Amino acid sequence: MRRIGAIVVRYRYAVMTVWLVLVVASLAVLTSLPRMLQPPDITVDRSASAAASELIAERFPDIGTRQVMLAFTSRSLRADDPVYRHTTRAVTSAMSQHARVGAALPVPRTEGRHPRHAYVMLGVTGATDTVRQVLPELGAQAEEIAHDRSGGAVSVALVGLDPVLSELARTTTEDLRSAETYAVPAAALLLAVGLGSAGAAALVLLLAGTAIVISLGVLTLTGLFSHGVDATAVAVVATVGLGVGLDYALLVTLRHRRRRAVGLPPGPAAERATVTAGATVALAGTAVVTTAVGLLLTDIAYMRTLALAAVLAASTATLAALTLMPALLASCDRVLEWGPMPWARPGRRRPKPGPTAWERWTGHLLRYPGRYATAAVLLLLLAATPVLGLRTVLHFDRAVLSGTTLGDGLARMEDDRIASLTLVALPHPKGAGPVDTQPLITELREDPRVSIAIALDNGRDLTLLLIGESQAPDTAAAAALQRHLREDLVPRLLPAGQSVRIAGPAATVHDLTSEVDDQVGLVLVVICCGTFVLTFLAFRSIVVPLKAIAMNLLCIAAAFGMLALAAPVLGYPAVNPLLPLIVLTLVFGLSMDYEVFLVHRIAEHYRIHGDNAAAVLHGLRRTALPISLAAGVLVVSLTGLLGTHRQDLRQIGFVVMTAVVLDATVVRMVLAPALMRLMGRANWWLPGRLGRLLPARNGEVRLPAQAGAAPVADRPRV
């Protein structure tokens, strides 16, 4: 850090020029971002549904890798009217001529279907990225032809899992854009109040904005080679970039101002701030990256995309805090005093005699740490209790889809009991002919959840069963039908040993939910293990990492408990099954930031003086402002998500806000210091052999608990 600080301050204008060039280049690239946004890919790699789709596309090329529905309707014409029939034929013919459309199969009329509704299934071929690019084009073309051929009497909607995800992604982008218009001014105002001047707030926001812009630029460049950018990844970059960017910029800025207050010139003050705060920033940034890497272990492409977005944003913010921020502080030190708040002007503050309210409270905390720790743990446990009743369901946001062409089409399909399509692939046994599916079809047709059951055979090696479902793939009925089909009907009604592969939207949702349930424990273990190793190497302690992990898990559980109570108010009683993985990564990373800020300060003081209570008090005093201000700004920024249309965004905003508030108040200001005060020298316990294996740091004095020194006084100095 000393070398980095010296180099950055010496060549500060070159450093700022490099970052400026990167920002300008990123802004130029970002002009392409809006048209490159793509819906999330919720396919699970190596899942049964993915393998089934590949098999069907290979042996039934016309059915394709994706199946979507053309949902026709008219306010005045019946489906058997000549004009209506001419329109459906014209649209179907045009779709069939498209290079990416294979089969175009009219759906047989079923009992109870509205007389003015008609449906045609399209099989779309190609990879996932290709299909997602083709579907908007097909939908627009179908709507135009239907309008022209019928004079506006017949309309059509392209309905399917991918179109639904595309519409939700579009709404997400619009919601985030509107939330930003509120978040940025609110964050700037809070920073100006907390730091005492508009200039200091501007520099801190400048660093966070730089990290976000460059990360989005890199994300856009990668999208040029991967056929698009995940819309949710943009939200992750903005959230992580803002959260960690503000944390690190605040830490370096406050260290710089402290050095200036004791008389150091701007250059040496910025260099010294890099030396002292740089190690904390580097450790905290590495902790955020470590938590995000856990998501890479899943087979869900969507989760891996979000993990890479978080790693990109955290890495960029860390690098900017270690290089750009010191260069700005050394060059623009006067900006820190621009636009001072009235109470922060010179001569306006007159310290009152005696200890401040903060000092009196921290002194009381350190005199009675057991009481405070017990109260904090009980409060978090009480808040976490409702999490036992939290339900996870992957659901389409009907409120967002309502009123759109797609939403109306989906509603018509649900009313007509043809809301989804499941494909059951049955490879022929070796040396045998088509599979006998009649018993299975007969029982399926008697099921009220099934509207259509048709068997097709390619005449060579595969029998395909098409099952029309009455409920959309995100419903409990569709999930129950999937379980019934897999666990009961197929084993009972098909020949023993028959290979079965199931594809379709409901199968994809089933595999996604199963993958999340199977992997959430592994991801949590990896995050905890990675965090333990990192903090163990940084603080040379066994107790500190274990305590940090336990407090983080307790805080996250409390936040989800509050979400369980608030979910019905936020629009839906259950949460998306992907949300726990996303929130776990975000909150664990941000919580480790605050933990590193506090413990690093405590460890610095303890290494010098060997007084645990005084070190805890010193850490509280020095980190209260950056932790509280960073958490406050993040909470204010996330408040904008509560006013969005998407239920998922409102839930994410609420649970992250709740976790950050609990972490910055109950955990970092009460529980963590109380436990460190109670444990005393045990905080720094490290087995002797293990301690000798760790490399010694330059200039570091061994902690008294590790060196076997005599006990020292352990009373708070207040």
Side-chain angles (χ1 to χ4, degrees), residues 5 65 117 129 146-147 198 231 243 246 360 409 421 439 501 623 637:
T65 54
H117 296 169
D129 294 335
H147 183 275
L246 289 177
R360 288 194 297 271
L421 185 69
R501 298 185 183 181
T623 60
S637 302

Side-chain angles (χ1 to χ4, degrees), residues 338-368:
W338 288 1
M341 298 292 104
W343 58 85
R345 289 172 182 161
R348 293 297 297 270
R349 274 187 173 180
R350 295 181 180 178
K352 297 179 181 180
T356 64
W358 169 254
E359 290 173 336
R360 288 194 297 271
W361 181 83
T362 52
H364 194 269
L365 168 68
L366 296 182
R367 282 195 296 272
Y368 304 101

Side-chain angles (χ1 to χ4, degrees), residues 12 56 119 123 186 195 204 330 341 380 419 456 513 517 569 623 670 713:
R12 53 185 176 272
I56 294 170
Y119 302 98
L195 293 174
V204 171
M341 298 292 104
L380 293 175
L456 305 174
T513 305
D517 292 341
V569 180
T623 60
V670 180

